[in-house]
Amino acid sequence: MTDEKVMERAAELGMVMAEDARENPQQMKETEESTQQSTQQAKPVVNTEQTDKKQTSDVKKQDSEKGDTQKSNSQKSNSEKDTQKKNIQEKETQKEQDGDKVISFTVKGGEYCRAISENLYEAGLVADAEEFRKFMQDNDYDNMIRVGTFELKKGMTYKEIAKVLTTKPEK
């Protein structure tokens, strides 16, 4: 902006140049009064000392709360990590023990692959009945399932289970 434009804009806003004030002190006084009135109407009076103290207090309180929350989250996080580690160790131990466990599983005459898959799931021999059923169908084991009682171990793969179920039981 050029100086002229600044001066024009200042005059539009009611500002008076020092030279004009010397020439017309009454106009200067009126301008100051109208400026004060509009400023008082636009801005409430605020005690900045109290506001500064309150803001400082609020900031300290927020920082303290953040610190407490972070400590609490950290404690929770460590506690949760410990719990997760224990759960993983228990599951691994259980898998090792279950791997040695032999389960007798019976297939009855007339049972479909879907029912057999669900029974295997309920016995804890497969993780997902539908997934096992699809495996059996995709690999053409579903029509070769034999009737009888089979010895299965937890932790066997789908392929291992399928081979056992499609071979003649020893009994």
Side-chain angles (χ1 to χ4, degrees), residues 104-136:
S104 293
F105 183 79
T106 303
V107 176
K108 299 174 187 164
E111 275 187 307
Y112 290 100
C113 185
R114 182 177 305 274
I116 295 167
S117 298
E118 288 173 4
N119 291 339
L120 287 166
Y121 173 75
E122 289 172 10
L125 293 166
V126 296
D128 186 323
E130 186 62 19
E131 187 177 292
F132 180 75
R133 182 193 64 77
K134 286 180 183 178
F135 170 82
M136 295 292 281

Side-chain angles (χ1 to χ4, degrees), residues 53-112:
K53 285 180 183 177
K54 184 172 182 346
Q55 288 174 346
T56 303
S57 171
D58 290 347
V59 169
K60 286 180 182 177
K61 186 176 178 181
Q62 288 173 352
D63 288 345
S64 173
E65 290 171 356
K66 283 181 188 175
D68 292 345
T69 303
Q70 287 173 347
K71 286 178 188 175
S72 176
N73 287 344
S74 175
Q75 289 169 351
K76 285 181 186 175
S77 178
N78 289 338
S79 175
E80 288 173 4
K81 287 179 183 176
D82 292 342
T83 303
Q84 287 174 349
K85 284 181 184 178
K86 287 178 185 176
N87 289 342
I88 290 170
Q89 289 172 345
E90 288 173 4
K91 286 179 183 178
E92 288 174 358
T93 303
Q94 188 64 37
K95 280 183 183 177
E96 289 172 8
Q97 291 172 353
D98 289 345
D100 296 339
K101 208 183 257 187
V102 176
I103 296 175
S104 293
F105 183 79
T106 303
V107 176
K108 299 174 187 164
E111 275 187 307
Y112 290 100

